[in-house]
Amino acid sequence: MATIEHSAIVKASPERVFALLERVEDFADYSDLIERIEPLGDDRYRWYVHAVGRDWTFDVVITECRAPEVLAWESLSGVDNQGRYRLTPVEEGTEVALTLTYSLRNRLVEKAVNRAATPLVGKVSRQILARVGDRL
């Protein structure tokens, strides 16, 4: 599994940042690569993403929701992935740290995705946190 990490400071309290992050279906508003997210009930969501020239669909479930500190998920179908947002209060507001791990079944696709994934996830994470910051 590959692991990607990204962090940023959002100029708002952890409670305010977490309140936006826990509205998972709104992530489509925060990134150009996320086409839409469908709530499926029971803390489950279907993600539709267009990245590295392909359309990706996967279902995730929220595995940990501990306000205002941690929001974590794992995939149930599609791209095998797990992620975690950890929020820490800092003088400037909130440090939001993302850790994302993923694995692909097709080695050829995995090589292409691995080359693009780190800058891609970094871009998505920056977009999400910047737009969350803008909303706050």
Side-chain angles (χ1 to χ4, degrees):
M1 282 195 141
T3 300
I4 298 170
E5 296 178 327
H6 179 259
S7 66
I9 304 293
V10 177
K11 294 180 181 180
S13 69
E15 292 79 10
R16 291 183 65 207
V17 175
F18 192 89
L20 289 182
L21 289 178
E22 73 178 335
R23 295 197 319 240
V24 175
E25 61 273 15
D26 290 348
F27 274 48
D29 296 337
Y30 304 148
S31 173
D32 300 335
L33 301 175
I34 302 169
E35 293 182 353
R36 70 184 188 281
I37 299 171
E38 293 177 10
L40 303 174
D42 297 324
D43 287 331
R44 296 169 189 255
Y45 300 87
R46 180 161 296 139
W47 288 60
Y48 297 88
V49 176
H50 184 79
V52 290
R54 292 189 55 184
D55 291 322
W56 306 85
T57 302
F58 51 93
D59 292 353
V60 302
V61 62
I62 302 300
T63 57
E64 186 176 4
C65 185
R66 193 167 22 100
E69 299 164 354
V70 175
L71 180 67
W73 65 91
E74 68 182 17
S75 62
L76 300 170
S77 67
V79 177
D80 182 16
N81 71 90
Q82 298 82 41
R84 171 181 300 270
Y85 278 111
R86 182 171 302 281
L87 285 69
T88 306
V90 294
E91 188 175 314
E92 302 90 350
T94 302
E95 179 181 22
V96 182
L98 167 67
T99 302
L100 177 69
T101 60
Y102 68 92
S103 176
L104 300 172
R105 293 175 192 94
N106 181 317
R107 287 189 185 266
L108 294 176
V109 172
E110 186 169 17
K111 284 184 180 184
V113 170
N114 285 345
R115 281 194 300 273
T118 299
L120 187 64
V121 170
K123 175 184 176 179
V124 170
S125 184
R126 282 189 302 277
Q127 281 182 344
I128 289 170
L129 296 178
R131 291 176 185 175
V132 163
D134 290 347
R135 282 206 176 173
L136 293 171

